[in-house]
Amino acid sequence: MLCVFIFSYLFEATRSKTHSNLEAKQQELKDTIHALREKETELKSAHDDLELRIQERTLQLQLSNLKLKTEIEERKRSETQRRKLETRLARAQKMEALGTLAGAVAHDLNNILSGISTYPELLLMKVSQDNPLYGPLRTVQASGEKAARIVQDLLTLSRRGVTVFDTVDLKQIVQDYADSPEFKKMISYHRAVWYETTFSSGDFTISGSADHLSKIIMNLVTNAAEAMPSGGCITIGLQRVAIPEENQDTVLEPGVYVQLTVADTGSGIAAEDIERIFEPFFTTKKMGRSGSGLGMTIVWGAVQDHNGHIEVRSLPGKGTTFELLFPVVSRKQTERAEVPVNHRLGNRESILVVDDLEVQREVATDILQMLEYSVESVPSGEAAVDYLRECEVDLVLLDMTMEPGMNGLETFRRILRIRPDQRVIIASGFSETDLIRESLNLGARAYLKKPYSLESISRAVADALGGKKQN
């Protein structure tokens, strides 16, 4: 029995110890599993944190790359813009130098043309059509008018062609040109060429000279027709465009513009020629067969005079498109009825002609006397001031450019000190825009271009004496 008891005791003791060890092992296993799970959680957290850091770093790198790319593109854009501005500056400087020369030549030619273009007109009023001299006089008159138009081209080239601006409808100017004899004659020479217009809705009112704007259209359309010897289509378009504040092109101010487009389907312009097409006498045509070689130069100068901008797009064999932008202004009615010259005769009103050239004084005097005005003349601004200290006149016809001595603007200022209400018309064959505008701002009734014509001088004088002031 004792043995059995001892065996049982030992068995129980062994089983109890084994059970305790087993529980300890189980607990240790549980602790290990818990520790592993904690480590797994820490590892997952570290992995997630690493992925987040990788994503953040990748995003930083992408942002840095994007910023670098943007900076590179901005530098390229700035460099391209700089080259464009340098090209425009070089062109403007070249045109300024040529314009100075052209303006001086135009001034001298206008003085010479005064007698050639004006006296035939006066003589034709006294000669019947069956007189043998009538035909030669008409020829001289037509030649003088043609020479005057060429001089006007030179003035446009010199950036002194547009001195008085009206509020004009560009759509009406396009339509008037399309209905003009000049356009119909040009189209008759190019029978395989047709044209169409694409006008968007809206107002196309700008500030400018209808004559100069019409000449821009004429030159562009004529060039387009000549670029299509086998025929094709000329498209003239008008639309309003807005230049935003963030505009990158520093040449154009933000605002609303009228865009005039003249496009053709002709031979196009080679890339190396596009930058040169506005240079005087540059042409890809055969010399002597088409105009004076100043057509596109006239276009460029007139666009600049109107505070506009011009762009050219062309592909050889595909055609050329010219896009011109002019600032929009509010519409204003400026129409006035045409009055025949013989209804604008004077009533012996007194007029003082002031000009340093004798031929100019004689021409103006003869025209004004024929229009039944009482006329006196003096050769300088100083003489005009002395005359007006002693005598009153209804109107002064004052030349702007006089040498030596005071110019027209200074003379006008001196006259106003003596006679603040004196009516004055400014005249010039070499119109210096700033001086003309300042004179008009001081109260000059009108600006009269030389060479004089019976129509222009009779209208200007009648308006001035009638109390109307031309703006």
Side-chain angles (χ1 to χ4, degrees), residues 9-41:
Y9 176 77
L10 292 173
F11 177 76
E12 287 296 330
T14 302
R15 189 177 69 173
S16 176
K17 185 178 181 179
T18 301
H19 182 72
S20 296
N21 290 338
L22 182 60
E23 286 181 342
K25 291 293 183 182
Q26 287 178 340
Q27 185 62 43
E28 185 180 350
L29 181 60
K30 288 179 180 179
D31 292 341
T32 301
I33 291 171
H34 180 71
L36 288 173
R37 285 176 177 171
E38 287 182 346
K39 292 294 184 182
E40 183 181 11
T41 301

Side-chain angles (χ1 to χ4, degrees), residues 71 81 83 101 213 286 386 394 400 421 445 471:
E71 289 178 355
Q81 183 66 16
R83 285 197 297 267
L101 174 62
L213 291 166
K286 292 184 178 180
D386 290 341
D394 295 306
M400 176 55 73
D421 297 326
R445 294 283 166 161
N471 295 315

Side-chain angles (χ1 to χ4, degrees), residues 362-382:
E362 290 176 352
V363 168
T365 298
D366 288 344
I367 294 176
L368 292 169
Q369 287 178 342
M370 179 172 286
L371 292 170
E372 300 183 8
Y373 294 104
S374 175
V375 186
E376 295 291 339
S377 67
V378 292
S380 67
E382 290 83 356

Side-chain angles (χ1 to χ4, degrees), residues 104-147:
V105 173
H107 174 239
D108 292 340
L109 286 176
N110 263 336
N111 287 331
I112 295 170
L113 284 171
S114 290
I116 297 174
S117 60
T118 304
Y119 277 121
E121 184 178 15
L122 298 179
L123 292 172
L124 285 169
M125 296 179 67
K126 300 178 180 180
V127 175
S128 63
Q129 294 188 15
D130 57 357
N131 191 303
L133 294 176
Y134 188 87
L137 284 172
R138 286 284 294 173
T139 301
V140 173
Q141 182 189 27
S143 298
E145 290 173 350
K146 184 176 181 181

